[in-house]
Amino acid sequence: PPFHHFLIMLSRLTTSFALRASRSLAVGSSRSMTTIQQVATADEAWKKSCFSGMDFTINDEETVYDAVQKLAGFNIGCLVTVDNDGNMTGVVSERDYVCKIALLGRTSKETMVKQISTKVPNLVTAKPTDTVEDCMARMLTKDIRHLPLVSEEGKVMGMISIKDLVKTLVLEKEQTIKVLSDFALGKGGVLGSE
């Protein structure tokens, strides 16, 4: 959708402008100043997320009823499915429940998680070093709300939601606005003092 692409482009443009502005202020300055951090990553978003520090997995041999109980208990919308050895096999979400159980007249107590989950070959994932903008672009392109966070070795290490990414992006933009406001007011740069 064009609006989503516009938001991503705007995000990149403001970050790029603010980084250039903060670098130009730093040239020849010995005063302390506020600068902008590098672009936020998926790992940073995950560390602030509700999925950090919780068991967001479910064995794909368990029933959908067990998955729904876990989703409701943690107030989350998606779980990573794993096999008996702990390897990621896919994800199961509220949407899977609604579309593949409720609408088809199945029962959650008689259906296995692996029967309704999205499998690894079709799964969209993120690496810890991926930028928040890249993760958002993947989610918007595929119309999904969660991304498993996978290490370079291919092991699942976390889960991030679109809400986590939006919160991280908003915080990043607030920091950018502060730096630009300080610059405009002559604070912290070669033009002013703090």
Side-chain angles (χ1 to χ4, degrees):
F3 182 70
H4 299 301
H5 295 294
F6 171 76
L7 287 177
I8 292 168
M9 287 174 49
L10 181 63
S11 171
R12 289 180 180 159
L13 180 65
T14 58
T15 301
S16 174
F17 174 76
L19 283 171
R20 276 189 247 148
S22 66
R23 280 189 213 117
S24 68
L25 284 174
V27 176
S29 173
S30 61
R31 297 180 189 180
S32 67
M33 60 181 273
T34 306
T35 59
I36 297 174
Q37 293 181 341
Q38 294 301 320
V39 176
T41 63
D43 188 53
E44 292 166 16
W46 171 67
K47 287 177 181 172
K48 296 173 188 167
S49 128
C50 70
F51 288 100
S52 180
M54 69 176 280
D55 180 15
F56 52 84
T57 64
I58 189 159
N59 190 296
D60 61 9
E61 296 288 333
E62 291 189 50
T63 66
V64 172
Y65 182 78
D66 296 326
V68 170
Q69 283 188 311
K70 200 165 191 177
L71 291 169
F74 286 125
N75 195 27
I76 56 175
C78 190
L79 296 168
V80 172
T81 62
V82 295
D83 61 19
N84 291 327
D85 296 324
N87 298 313
M88 181 172 63
T89 59
V91 295
V92 64
S93 68
E94 294 168 319
R95 190 181 295 177
D96 291 323
Y97 175 77
V98 169
C99 295
K100 299 173 185 172
I101 298 292
L103 286 178
L104 298 178
R106 292 178 162 178
T107 64
S108 60
K109 290 185 178 182
E110 296 173 0
T111 307
M112 307 299 276
V113 167
K114 67 181 176 183
Q115 292 176 288
I116 68 164
S117 63
T118 301
K119 308 294 186 271
V120 166
N122 299 322
L123 202 57
V124 179
T125 62
K127 293 182 184 144
T129 55
D130 290 343
T131 66
V132 168
E133 286 89 355
D134 289 342
C135 293
M136 287 183 87
R138 278 186 216 138
M139 288 177 159
L140 294 170
T141 300
K142 295 291 185 177
D143 194 27
I144 56 177
R145 296 180 302 229
H146 299 87
L147 287 177
L149 194 59
V150 179
S151 71
E152 296 297 329
E153 297 78 34
K155 294 288 183 188
V156 64
M157 56 183 285
M159 174 89 82
I160 50 178
S161 70
I162 192 73
K163 183 170 86 173
D164 300 326
L165 297 176
V166 168
K167 282 181 181 178
T168 302
L169 197 57
V170 165
L171 180 61
E172 185 180 85
K173 298 311 166 202
E174 286 173 349
Q175 291 169 344
T176 300
I177 290 168
K178 179 171 179 3
V179 168
L180 293 174
S181 295
D182 287 350
F183 174 70
L185 297 172
K187 293 181 180 179
V190 294
L191 302 174
S193 63
E194 287 191 317

